[in-house]
Every structure is written in structure tokens, then in C-alpha cells.
Amino acid sequence: MTVPRDFQEPPRSRPDLVIGREDLFASAREQLGRGGSVLLHGPAGIGKSTILRALAADYGGSARTVLRCSATESESHLPFLALADLFGLVLDEVSGRLPAAQRTALESALTGRGESTLQRDGLALRLAVLSALRVLAAEGPVLVVADDLQWLDAASAELLGFAARRLGDTPVQMLCAVRTEGQEYDRHLRASPPDTLAVRLGPLSRTQVSALLDHRGYAPLSRSTVRDIHRTSAGNPLFALELGRALAESPTRPRPGEPLPVPTSLRALVLSRLEMLSDEARRTLLVASAGARPTLALLHAAGREHAEAETAQAAALGLLATEAEGPAVRFAHPLISAALYAEAPAQERRAVHAALSTAASDPIERARHLALATTGTDPEVAARLAEAGTLARDRGAPSVAASLGLLAARHTPADSTPGPDERRLQAAEDAITAGEADLARDIARDVLTRATVAAERVRAWMVVIEAAGQALGEVDAVFPQVLADAGDDPGLLALVHYQLAWRGLVVEGDFAEARQEAEHAAELAARGGDRRTELMALSFQASTETLMGHPGAPATVKRALREPQDPYVACHHNGAGSARFRWLIMSDQLPEARATITALLREVRRRGMVESEVHFLRFLADTELRTGHCGRALDLARESLRLARDAGIGEGASAMLASLAEASAGDVDRALALAREAADHAEVDGDQMYLSRALAALGYAQLVAGDPAATVRSLRRVRELEQGLGINDPARGRWHGDLAEALVRIGEPGEAQDVIDTTRAHALRLGRESVLAVLDRAEALVRAARGDHEAALVRLASVRDRLGRLGYGLEEARAAFALARLRAQAAALPRTGGTPLPGPASYDEAARLFRRCRALPWLRQVDAAVAGGSTAVEQASPAPPVALDALEGLASMERQVASLVMEGATNREIAARLFISVKTVEATLTRVYRKLGIRSRVDIVRLAAGRRTN
């Protein structure tokens, strides 16, 4: 018998479950599938009931009987109510099979008739619940689903716990959820079956909150608004959805600097305890809610003389978190602060901001409070806000600068110089720098509805175009309008032609056109005296020429680096430093490339240039991948992808690089999915350049996955795309060797040789030594396929050494692996003439090199080759990667540090590459030694070599 179930998740809510909960949902399902029980726990609104219902709906079909109860606070005083929910519908089925005393006790508890059961025979009722579950389980598996255990009446909770602890091997599973604020779920776990898995639901990330809001239709919301929702909700999905709904229903959005509107549904949750505060304590908390970093000293400076006593009163009521150290005044939940501020009358808020405008020590904070305390236009307030925006920009906080710029515009009189729209445009440009493209676009569009001055209109159009990112095809209609606004002004025309250069590359896929537009933009900017645009155009021209294999690329790079420089252009992801990096990495100057990109990344982080940070993390990951530091590359690529998704910029490019890193050091299935995601992004954006990169990543992942036919299909399309784009430098995508190798594997050595010969001509002309070495590796495979094994072996040994000297660690390891496989194949061939084969057939060297790179997917291929081999030497090859498996148990920073030690880096080198101090490296290594059960750096190196430590 199956009890009718009414706990199916509503269709619209089911997909919410997978947003940020994939791993824990999978682990809970796996636990249930093994026959175990699950206890979900976490704070109110965190999504326990949603997951409980989805798990029950998903897994309940495999149970014969599902028993369900869901308690409420208002009913928690009624004894046996939960017991009645659980057994009411099955009483007839089980009662006749229970001993008389147990049957009487159970019927009395469920119906309320007869003498008080616990007074008469409490043990009989306990045994009746246990027996009833056993009777049901004798007919088939039983699933008990209980939500909100914290409100379960005491009698039912005790009985359920008694039975749960005694079920043993009886096929009864429990799926329960309980509200907890910390980790205090132990008593509920003790009342569960012994094999219960406790699953804590934590807060969602900002990206997950954004996806949840989008799924529920609360979009489009700007990145800054989503950031505010995430901060105010502290990642709680219920709170985030309620805040999103309030924003969607509000006719006006909050102004810059103002908190989010808090709906009544949430105010009731957090403000009931405020009624127990004195009026003075409430005012003190209002001051704290308005301050950015409230402390007791700040409250005193703002006129709250009795701040200590009043905050202590609030802490006793659970409104403030008690801090063991430090002077900070911290609310127990950000929502309390937001609701308190939202409840306060406007006049009282302005008074609080006026007090804080003199009490705050930071000039940016003082200016913000002054603006929020002032109504109407005021040139002095506007000037102070503009100065604060400049300071924020210099501090590397462009998002703060954008907010201050909008406040300055609001307080700027219409006839002032600079005017309000000029300040709005500065705010829009700061928003672009901060990665808040949607906010920047909205500001620029607003300005365009009024602006009549050509310079302001062109500047606004530039923001609209830049906000489009890679999707330049979506703003095609803008270019005729902005050209008309620019007229014959060379400075304004330079801005337009610089963007037309990008359009030629991204939309048209025409490198020659892009290069000509960039060159024209640089000439116009020089005539107009706009050094910044001139440098940006020269940098773009240099990068394009580098990718094209144009002979003028080195000279253009030098022109872009010539003084005077602009600090913004020097570190921008499309600036001179980036152009130099591209030239260095394509010219096989890997140490210089790493030093260049590391310095650029450090600078853009200091400046708060989010989009540039996304790209430079990707560039550094690419550099580490080429040098064979695959574990480090994977961490950087994942970080770039997380930041790209959070900011909504550069997602396709970051997914492409993450795919390469996953295929080299992580999960091949994930690599395939990421490459397809990157290709989809490029297709949607109409970006032919990145489409070719994404397909090249897909081809590489397919090769690692052991699907050469799919590799050939993907990389043939890359070849067609790059021929159409005019890309002639094989160092750009480095896919040519993979295509040739895959063609050999599917029995097409002739086409493979054609690819090698064509590519080699370009590589020789440009001096691309690493590309030539990889092509030679592929050609060795062609020769082996044609029967010339000896020549192939000699070629592969040479290639391995050349790649090692050039610093291409992963390619060196791949050459060693190809050499070992070819030796093993050749050893099995019948020999004539007695000529010995060069070198023994062993995979030891390939395994060592792949371990050094942390190239886990490739190590698995070595394992497979060893297992399938026939030589004694192969069978003696050490099983990899005990060391690498051990590293997987370390925290992310610990794993990165240990990997760099394995590569031979000193503590100072590790500190420089990870942007941490030497002391932090030393402390991290101490934790690594303890976790791995070793004593020194030497033991880590031994692990890298696959040797046991004493």
C-alpha cells in the first residue's frame, strides 16, 4: 500500500532546487539510494522544505509506503498530532497485526479516546510505533518524511526517536528537515536512524541568487541590485526572492546609496523583537544600520552617548551579533539592518545621515552621508561627492565611484559646469570599469534622451557599445547614429573608429578590416590630441597583427609602449601591456609572459577593474597551462569563470579556457560541457573569433576523452573558420598538432601530413619554435603509421627534449607519452636484421612528467596504457597518483602551494605567484605537512616523484 502523497513540488518551484544545490541534492539522493536516511538542516528560508519535497517526490516512488508529517509552531503543544499525521491513514492496515496492549495504546494516542496512554503504559505505545513500522516494512520499503522537526510535539518526537534508534536492518528510511541557526542539529540526529546523513544547507552565492531571481522572473536586475539583494538576504533564497518581488512590484527603484525596500512579509520576521527595545536603543540601532562599518566609537561620535548599554540590550534580544574581538557593531542578519532602516521615517533617516556626515572618519563615507542628508540640488555637496568619487576611483573601487557619481549628478544644478549629465557619464564609465554593464547602459541611454552636445552624445554612445561586450552585433544600429553625432571632429571620430575596429573583428570576423580601422583610429586620435584613444587603438592594432602573423606586429607593439603612457591603458585588458603579453606568449617567451601578466593582474585588482581581472586571470591560466603547471591553471581558470559569471562579462572566453584546463587537469566531461557552452556563447554573440577558440577547446577535450573522430570534426571546422578570418599564426590556437594526431588515429595520415606541412610553413616564417616541435611530434606519429617506427622514435625523443628546453611542460609530457606508446608498439613488432630499438619500452618518464604537471586526465591515460601493456617494465611502473589523490583532500590554497612546491618553486616564488605573503606560504605549508603526514618540502617532492616517504 502507498499512502497518497500531496507533497509534490509545484512545477514552477522544482527548478529552484538545482540552483546552487546540485551537489547536496545528489549526495542526499545517493544516501537514500543506499538505504540510508537524510536529515536536512539550516536556518529559516534556506530551502529545506523545497529540497525535502523534491527528494520525496523523486525517491518516494521506490517506497511501498510513504508516511508524512509537517509540524507548525501553533500546533506544537498538541500531543500526538504528528503521530496522527504519520499513522492515521495506515492504522487499519497495522492495528490488527499488533499485540492487544500495543494496539490499544496506539489507537488511544491517535484518536484521543480512552485513558491517557503515557500515564497507563508509555512503553506499550513506544513499542506500538516500532511494531507498526516493522509491519509496514514487511510488505515493502517505508519512507518517513517529516518537515519542520523543531515544531514536532514533544510526545511524537520522543516516540519517533525511540523507534528510529531501534529499527536496525528494517527497510525504513527517514527524510527529515529541521530549522537550525548554527550546528545545533545533534539532538535531532541522535533521534534519527544510526545511518542518517546530516546535510546542512548554506547560503547561496551571488551568482546563484541571480539565477534564482532570473528563474522566478524578477529580471532584468542590474548587477549592483543583485549584489545588494545578495548582501541583504545573506544568500537566503526565501529572503532574496521576497526582496526581488518587492523590487519588481515597486514603481521606483531605490536611489544610489539607499537600502533596498524590505517587504512587509520579511519585516514581520525580523522586526517583532524591536518592539522590546527602548526608543533610544532603537535610534542607536538606526544609526548603526545607516553606517557602512558601525563601531561603538562611530556611534558615540554621532551623538549616541549610551551606545554600549543600548547595543548590549539589542544583543540580548538577538538583534546584534556578539563579537568576541574588535569594536564592530554587527547585526545578527543584514535583513534586520535593512528592515530597521526601511521602517524609519524619511526625516529621521536624514537626521541620522547628517550626524554621520561629520562623525565618519572616511571622506568617501562622509560625502555619501552628506548627500543622503541633503534634499534638492547643492553645488557644494555635488563637488564633495565628485571629489569622493575620484578618491574611490583612485582606491580601486569603481563601483563606489559610480554610485557617488550618480549622487553627485542628483545634487548638481542644471546650469553648473560640469553639468549633471557629464557626471552621469563619468558614473557610467566607472560602472563599465566595475563590470556593471547593465547599470552603465541604463545611465547612458538616459543621458541620450536629453543630450544635445556632440561630445556628450558620442561619449554616451561609447558606453552603450562597450556595455554590449562581445555581442557587438546587437548594437549595429548605433554606429550610423554615433558617426552622425561625431561629425568631422577627429577626436570623436577616433572613438567611433576604434569601436568599428572591434566590430570588424567580432561581428565580421575580418582581421584585415579590424586592423585598418584600428590604424585609422590611432591616426585620428593623434590629430585630435587624444593620447588615451591613440594608445588603445595602437594596442588593438598590435594584437590583431600578432594574431594575423603580420610582419609589422613587433613595430606596432613598440609604438603602443612608447611614452607618454596612460596608466589606465597600460593595464587595460585591451591595452599596451596586454598586447605585449600576447606577443610574448606567442613568441615562446613564457617566463616574460608570466611576469608581465602577473604584474598586470595585480594592478587591475588594485584598481578594481573587474573585466580586466576576468581576462587577466584567464591569460595567466593559459600561461600556466602552457608551462605545465596544470593544477594552478585549473584553479585560475575556475576563478576566472566564477568571476565572469558573477559579473556577466567574458563568460564565453572564460568557459573556453576553463575547458582547456579541465581537460588537462580536472574533469574531462566538464571540459566538454564548458567547451560547448563557450561555443554557444560565441554563436549567440556572433563572435567568429571566439567561436574558433571554443571549438579548438572542444576538439582538445574530445581528444583527451578518447574520441578522435569527434576531434577531427571540431578541428576541421576551426581550420575553415581561421582561414576565413585570416588568422595565419598557428601559435594563436595551437590546435594544429591535435588535429594531425586525431587524423592519424582515424586512419588519415595523408590529411594529417597536409595539415602539418601547411602549418609548418607559417610557423617557420614566424619563428614559432614550440609549434614546430608539436608539429614534429605529430609528424612522428604519421611516420609510425606508415611503418617507419625507427625514424618516428628518434623524432619523438628529439621533440621531447626541445619542448622541455622551451618550458612547455605538458607538451613535453605528451611527447614522452607518445614515445613510450610507440616504443611499446614497436617492441611487439617482428624484427629483422637484429637492429635494436632505441630506448626501453617504459611509461615511467611520461608518468613522472604528467605527475609534475598535475595532468590527471593524461595520467589516467598512462594508467590505461600500462594496464594494457605486456612488458614487465610497464607493469612495474608506479601507480600514479597517490600524491595527487592526497592533494585533493587539501583546501584550495593548500593544494596550490603544495603543487608549486612539487614544481620546485621557492617560498618567495610561491608568494609572488599566488599574491600572498611569504609568512602565509610558510603557515600553509605547515598545515599541508600535518594533513599529508609528512615533515618537509623534500617529502612533497618525493610525493611528486611517486616515492613513498618514511
Side-chain angles (χ1 to χ4, degrees):
M1 170 187 174
T2 299
V3 175
R5 295 180 291 275
D6 60 352
F7 46 82
Q8 296 290 333
E9 183 73 2
R12 190 182 70 161
S13 301
R14 281 297 297 276
D16 292 351
L17 152 72
V18 301
I19 298 174
R21 305 300 193 197
E22 298 89 343
D23 291 344
L24 66 86
F25 185 69
S27 64
R29 284 188 60 185
E30 184 179 348
Q31 172 72 359
L32 291 170
R34 288 195 298 262
S37 297
V38 173
L39 175 67
L40 305 169
H41 65 100
I46 205 68
K48 303 180 298 298
S49 296
T50 298
I51 294 184
L52 180 100
R53 289 192 295 268
L55 282 169
D58 190 61
Y59 184 74
S62 62
R64 175 186 178 273
T65 307
V66 177
L67 308 176
R68 176 179 181 269
C69 69
S70 182
T72 63
E73 184 176 11
S74 62
E75 299 170 339
S76 60
H77 65 287
L78 299 174
F80 304 123
L81 190 62
L83 193 68
D85 286 343
L86 288 169
F87 292 101
L89 294 178
V90 296
L91 181 59
D92 292 341
E93 181 182 355
V94 301
S95 61
R97 300 163 66 180
L98 299 179
Q102 293 181 21
R103 179 172 64 250
T104 301
L106 184 59
E107 290 175 348
S108 175
L110 296 184
T111 64
R113 294 190 295 271
E115 188 179 346
S116 172
T117 304
L118 287 181
Q119 290 179 6
R120 184 165 53 105
D121 192 352
L123 181 58
L125 179 56
R126 293 183 181 92
L127 292 174
V129 172
L130 179 59
S131 297
L133 290 171
R134 285 173 174 163
V135 166
L136 292 170
E139 302 299 325
V142 176
L143 178 65
V144 178
V145 182
D147 199 2
D148 282 320
L149 284 184
Q150 74 279 1
W151 303 133
L152 221 64
D153 64 271
S156 297
E158 195 278 332
L159 292 167
L160 205 56
F162 176 88
R165 293 189 296 272
R166 290 163 175 80
L167 285 168
D169 295 333
T170 307
V172 176
Q173 296 171 263
M174 296 182 68
L175 172 59
C176 305
V178 61
R179 180 187 300 180
T180 56
E181 292 302 326
Q183 297 293 326
E184 68 278 12
Y185 61 91
D186 290 351
R187 67 183 180 91
H188 298 287
L189 193 59
R190 287 194 295 270
S192 303
D195 61 349
T196 299
L197 172 69
V199 177
R200 177 165 179 79
L201 276 69
L204 299 180
S205 69
R206 186 164 68 189
T207 303
Q208 292 161 352
V209 165
S210 177
L212 179 62
L213 293 166
D214 183 62
H215 167 66
R216 285 296 185 94
Y218 300 141
L221 295 172
S222 69
R223 178 172 175 260
S224 57
T225 300
V226 173
R227 182 185 61 213
D228 290 342
I229 290 175
H230 179 258
R231 183 180 63 245
T232 304
S233 67
N236 184 295
L238 172 64
F239 296 171
L241 286 170
E242 287 296 300
L243 291 167
R245 181 181 60 79
L247 277 172
E249 294 174 354
S250 175
T252 58
R253 297 290 169 89
R255 294 185 297 182
E258 291 184 345
L260 297 173
V262 180
T264 305
S265 58
L266 292 184
R267 293 187 197 186
L269 287 175
V270 299
L271 294 181
S272 57
R273 284 170 287 180
L274 284 173
E275 297 175 358
M276 304 172 66
L277 284 175
S278 66
D279 290 343
E280 291 301 312
R282 186 178 179 122
R283 290 191 187 96
T284 295
L285 288 197
L286 179 60
V287 175
S289 73
R293 294 175 296 275
T295 62
L296 289 172
L298 177 66
L299 296 177
H300 279 300
R304 308 310 301 165
E305 297 179 4
H306 305 293
E308 286 88 349
E310 289 157 357
T311 54
Q313 181 188 359
L317 291 171
L319 295 165
L320 294 179
T322 54
E323 296 286 351
E325 300 177 359
V329 175
R330 186 168 64 85
F331 285 88
H333 193 284
L335 194 61
I336 298 173
S337 172
L340 178 63
Y341 187 92
E343 282 283 296
Q347 185 175 354
E348 193 173 347
R349 289 190 213 171
R350 285 196 294 272
V352 165
H353 287 298
L356 288 170
S357 69
T358 58
S361 59
D362 185 84
I364 292 176
E365 189 67 8
R366 287 200 301 271
R368 187 181 75 88
H369 285 301
L370 179 61
L372 295 173
T374 305
T375 57
T377 59
D378 186 321
E380 184 179 344
V381 172
R384 283 186 58 181
L385 285 162
E387 291 170 5
T390 301
L391 181 58
R393 201 174 302 117
D394 292 342
R395 287 182 181 178
S399 180
V400 175
S403 177
L404 291 167
L406 289 175
L407 284 170
R410 196 173 95 200
H411 291 285
T412 301
D415 56 352
S416 294
T417 302
D421 278 346
E422 189 171 347
R423 283 181 165 147
R424 288 188 183 95
L425 287 172
Q426 179 62 66
E429 290 163 355
D430 286 327
I432 286 285
T433 302
E436 299 185 19
D438 45 5
L439 174 62
R441 184 188 305 109
D442 291 345
I443 296 170
R445 293 282 188 187
D446 176 57
V447 170
L448 285 166
T449 62
R450 297 181 295 276
T452 57
V453 178
E456 285 188 356
R457 290 189 62 80
V458 171
R459 191 175 170 188
W461 284 125
M462 291 301 103
V463 170
V464 171
I465 292 170
E466 287 194 38
Q470 297 295 112
L472 281 176
E474 296 179 2
V475 292
D476 251 359
V478 165
F479 287 101
Q481 299 178 62
V482 69
L483 281 168
D485 284 332
D488 57 1
D489 186 314
L492 298 179
L493 285 170
L495 294 170
V496 183
H497 283 278
Y498 174 70
Q499 294 297 343
L500 284 170
W502 277 104
R503 183 188 177 280
L505 183 63
V506 173
V507 179
E508 299 297 333
D510 190 330
F511 272 68
E513 179 187 337
R515 177 189 170 277
Q516 290 172 2
E517 288 285 4
E519 187 176 33
H520 186 37
E523 293 169 357
L524 287 166
R527 291 210 323 257
D530 183 353
R531 182 61 173 163
R532 172 173 290 191
T533 302
E534 181 187 7
L535 288 170
M536 290 294 288
L538 285 170
S539 301
F540 181 86
Q541 181 184 344
S543 294
T544 306
E545 290 175 347
T546 299
L547 295 172
M548 294 172 68
H550 192 283
T556 309
V557 171
K558 289 181 180 177
R559 285 180 63 199
L561 292 168
R562 196 174 297 160
E563 296 294 340
Q565 280 293 313
D566 181 294
Y568 173 82
V569 176
C571 65
H572 192 273
H573 58 279
N574 291 319
S578 184
R580 180 172 183 267
F581 163 77
R582 287 189 178 91
W583 171 253
L584 289 169
I585 199 167
M586 292 178 69
S587 302
D588 297 325
Q589 300 180 55
L590 297 182
E592 294 88 345
R594 178 192 281 125
T596 298
I597 200 61
T598 300
L600 288 170
L601 179 59
R602 186 180 293 115
E603 179 62 15
V604 297
R605 280 176 165 167
R606 186 187 72 80
R607 289 173 171 266
M609 299 170 66
V610 177
E611 185 173 6
S612 293
E613 183 179 355
V614 169
H615 289 289
F616 289 158
L617 280 168
R618 179 166 55 83
F619 291 171
L620 183 55
D622 189 18
T623 308
E624 299 289 9
L625 202 57
R626 293 182 190 221
T627 53
H629 302 138
C630 300
R632 169 72 172 145
L634 181 59
D635 288 335
L636 288 164
R638 287 174 174 172
E639 184 180 355
S640 174
L641 183 58
R642 281 195 300 271
L643 186 58
R645 286 177 170 163
D646 191 30
I649 51 178
E651 293 182 69
S654 293
M656 175 274 298
L657 203 284
S659 171
L660 291 171
E662 290 283 356
S664 299
D667 185 296
V668 179
D669 288 338
R670 179 165 169 76
L672 292 165
L674 284 168
R676 293 186 177 105
E677 176 189 332
D680 288 344
H681 272 291
E683 294 270 23
V684 169
D685 292 342
D687 187 341
Q688 298 295 297
M689 181 175 67
Y690 267 112
L691 179 59
S692 70
R693 296 294 307 274
L695 290 172
L698 178 60
Y700 173 67
Q702 289 164 333
L703 184 68
V704 177
D707 190 348
T711 299
V712 169
R713 288 194 298 272
S714 296
L715 297 184
R716 277 174 175 163
R717 189 177 175 200
V718 174
R719 180 171 54 180
E720 294 169 4
L721 282 168
E722 294 202 351
Q723 286 173 351
L725 288 165
I727 297 175
N728 295 314
D729 193 334
R732 185 248 183 184
R734 308 181 66 85
W735 48 267
H736 313 77
D738 291 339
L739 174 56
E741 181 176 335
L743 285 165
V744 170
R745 290 194 192 182
I746 67 170
E748 297 287 351
E751 184 182 347
Q753 189 64 55
D754 288 343
V755 170
I756 292 166
D757 292 342
T758 303
T759 308
R760 182 178 281 137
H762 292 298
L764 284 168
R765 176 175 60 85
L766 297 166
R768 304 302 191 223
E769 290 297 327
S770 63
V771 174
L772 289 169
V774 169
L775 292 173
D776 284 351
R777 183 182 70 202
E779 189 170 47
L781 300 179
V782 172
R783 291 191 178 188
R786 289 172 171 170
D788 192 354
H789 284 81
E790 292 187 20
L793 288 169
V794 172
R795 175 69 62 90
L796 280 173
S798 171
V799 165
R800 178 197 58 195
D801 295 341
R802 286 160 59 197
L803 288 167
R805 287 194 299 271
L806 288 167
Y808 284 80
L810 181 59
E811 298 292 359
E812 177 191 7
R814 287 182 62 181
F817 186 29
L819 180 61
R821 281 198 293 198
L822 197 54
R823 282 173 175 165
Q825 293 168 11
L829 295 175
R831 302 292 299 160
T832 58
T835 305
L837 286 167
S842 169
Y843 290 95
D844 288 358
E845 177 69 2
R848 182 186 70 81
L849 291 173
F850 281 134
R851 276 198 296 273
R852 186 182 69 183
C853 295
R854 286 200 67 228
L856 301 182
W858 286 104
L859 270 168
R860 285 190 280 272
Q861 290 198 28
V862 173
D863 272 346
V866 170
S870 58
T871 67
V873 177
E874 286 177 356
Q875 298 299 333
S877 180
V882 173
L884 296 174
D885 287 346
L887 292 193
E888 292 304 316
L890 301 177
S892 175
M893 179 60 72
E894 295 165 352
R895 189 168 63 251
Q896 292 179 50
V897 170
S899 298
L900 290 172
V901 170
M902 286 181 173
E903 294 164 13
T906 65
N907 286 3
R908 189 170 297 281
E909 289 169 341
I910 294 170
R913 285 167 63 178
L914 298 183
F915 307 106
I916 57 178
S917 68
V918 174
K919 284 189 175 181
T920 301
V921 174
E922 293 168 350
T924 304
L925 277 174
T926 300
R927 294 196 299 274
V928 170
Y929 298 155
R930 184 175 66 250
K931 289 184 178 182
L932 296 182
I934 59 179
R935 294 188 295 272
S936 68
R937 293 171 62 95
V938 174
D939 290 335
I940 294 182
V941 175
R942 286 173 178 163
L943 282 173
R947 297 195 296 268
R948 294 183 180 274
T949 58
N950 295 322

